[in-house]
Amino acid sequence: MNMKSWIIIIDERRAGGMLDAAKKLGGQVTAAVVGSRALADSIAKLGFDQVLCFETAEGIPAEAYALQVAEAAKAAAPRLVLASDSSVGRMLLGSVAAKLNATMIGAVRLLAVDGESIVASRSTADGKLLEDIEVPGALAAIFDGEDVEASSTKPVPVELMPVEDPGTTMRMVETIEAEEAAGLLTAARVVGVGVGLASKDDLKLIDDLAAAMHAEKACTLPVCDDMRWFPSNRVVGSSHSQIAPELYIAVGISGQPQHMSGIRDAKVVVAVNNDPEARIFKNCDYGILGDLYKVVPELISAFKNNG
Ligand SMILES: Cc1cc2nc3c(=O)[nH]c(=O)nc-3n(C[C@H](O)[C@H](O)[C@H](O)COP(=O)(O)OP(=O)(O)OC[C@H]3O[C@@H](n4cnc5c(N)ncnc54)[C@H](O)[C@@H]3O)c2cc1C
């Protein structure tokens, strides 16, 4: 098979993992960096066969270059295009996929070649199963596989791509600093808040639980989007952050797959829910069936007494 891969890079996240996955299929692996020259220089040391730099101008978001990246991808005609999971990565990959007329698949964890096809294994059923999809043509995939630390090599020359000023199509008009939630991504203990909480005032209960167990707080999507009780960097799930705490206590969360995929690497999941049929009871290590307004105060005392 004439295997040629493009990896769309907007930051260093999973760059090593994507490179490793593409190299295993054979053929040339190109990094298409959409960002600063400094990022391209650092990617050039990771072992890619070719590094292209679509240098973005000050104040213009990477998404504004999507069409130009897609045109260049069309000219190069790679068989496989990968990007890591982020809103920018998804948008760039989507544009490239449309130009290449490629099959687009998300949450791809492994890649292999079978005859003339690429086989993409993507996670499904809350990350418990891998589903193999055979793609006979071009494949554009969001890579969600293992990251691998790419060993430093002699840098390849960075090829600066001729980019045109995207003009007024998209401009950064304001940057609002999000509330610091970096601690959530590496926290050992996390309390997740769902729609089961009746009012914003009741967040005090969650604050007390988080303080008693020295935990960070997370939430489901509607608690952010509909209730506006938390900023989006506290949302855990398929479209937001993935976390891997030692302990996750889900309070008033039903356990929909989009939320559960964000905690699939949690060691111990405890669910507090008053509905015996709640889906989360099938996906937790310990289920506490009861009203959160009775259970959470008990948990707070237990953590205060036992740490
Ligand atoms: C494309 C797409 C992407 C999405 N991405 C995400 C994502 O990244 N993250 C995410 O979280 N969601 C995501 N969602 C939304 C997801 O599908 C669910 O709608 C959401 O996770 C449900 O949130 P919830 O569990 O808080 O609410 P609900 O499903 O309404 O569940 C509330 C739970 O609280 C329980 N409850 C009510 N009162 C009490 C009480 N007093 N005591 C105890 N329990 C009580 C109820 O029994 C119920 O089980 C996405 C959806 C789509 C379509």
Side-chain angles (χ1 to χ4, degrees):
M1 189 203 294
N2 180 16
M3 194 63 220
K4 194 155 89 167
S5 303
W6 261 41
I7 313 250
I8 297 174
I9 305 247
I10 46 159
D11 55 35
E12 300 206 19
R13 226 162 36 101
R14 283 205 158 96
M18 291 191 282
L19 171 63
D20 184 65
K23 280 230 148 145
K24 283 185 181 145
L25 305 187
Q28 191 191 49
V29 183
T30 296
V33 177
V34 188
S36 69
R37 176 64 203 259
L39 173 63
D41 286 341
S42 116
I43 292 296
K45 296 177 200 142
L46 299 186
F48 285 92
D49 299 305
Q50 183 186 34
V51 174
L52 310 177
C53 178
F54 297 84
E55 196 174 0
T56 53
E58 184 75 30
I60 300 190
E63 294 95 314
Y65 297 85
L67 275 179
Q68 299 186 51
V69 175
E71 290 292 354
K74 190 176 177 192
R79 179 69 193 274
L80 169 72
V81 187
L82 296 179
S84 65
D85 197 5
S86 70
S87 51
V88 181
R90 283 196 292 268
M91 174 162 176
L92 292 170
L93 189 73
S95 299
V96 170
K99 276 278 178 228
L100 294 177
N101 208 11
T103 301
M104 197 164 167
I105 304 179
V108 170
R109 306 202 75 178
L110 299 166
L111 289 159
V113 167
D114 184 8
E116 287 303 307
S117 297
I118 300 176
V119 180
S121 306
R122 73 158 175 203
S123 58
T124 181
D126 305 344
K128 290 198 175 73
L129 296 176
L130 279 183
E131 173 176 69
D132 287 351
I133 301 173
E134 204 176 303
V135 182
L139 167 65
I142 293 290
F143 183 75
D144 190 29
E146 289 271 303
D147 200 5
V148 175
E149 199 165 334
S151 49
S152 203
T153 57
K154 191 168 167 284
V156 290
V158 171
E159 296 172 40
L160 274 178
M161 299 300 284
V163 283
E164 282 169 27
D165 180 347
T168 52
T169 51
M170 269 189 219
R171 295 220 167 255
M172 212 98 74
V173 283
E174 194 185 0
T175 304
I176 302 170
E177 207 161 309
E179 181 220 337
E180 185 54 65
L184 171 62
L185 304 180
T186 53
R189 291 172 168 189
V190 174
V191 182
V193 186
V195 168
L197 210 70
S199 98
K200 190 174 184 185
D201 293 340
D202 302 340
L203 282 175
K204 169 84 177 68
L205 201 58
I206 302 299
D207 289 343
D208 291 348
L209 177 58
M213 52 186 279
H214 307 291
E216 286 283 342
K217 288 170 289 182
C219 68
T220 59
L221 187 61
V223 169
C224 162
D225 274 8
D226 304 342
M227 268 82 155
R228 309 222 165 248
W229 293 347
F230 285 102
S232 65
N233 57 5
R234 293 274 162 190
V235 179
V236 162
S238 54
S239 53
H240 291 71
S241 299
Q242 320 283 309
I243 55 171
E246 298 289 321
L247 173 62
Y248 183 74
I249 301 191
V251 180
I253 292 178
S254 58
Q256 301 310 310
Q258 293 89 353
H259 182 73
M260 299 310 280
S261 76
I263 55 159
R264 69 165 182 238
D265 294 329
K267 294 259 169 8
V268 175
V269 175
V270 178
V272 180
N273 200 301
N274 62 1
D275 175 5
E277 300 298 322
R279 192 174 180 151
I280 197 160
F281 285 137
K282 296 196 177 79
N283 275 307
C284 65
D285 299 288
Y286 300 96
I288 305 175
L289 176 61
D291 183 352
L292 70 90
Y293 291 94
K294 295 203 175 100
V295 176
V296 172
E298 296 287 339
L299 289 174
I300 294 170
S301 334
F303 277 107
K304 276 189 179 157
N305 294 333
N306 304 305

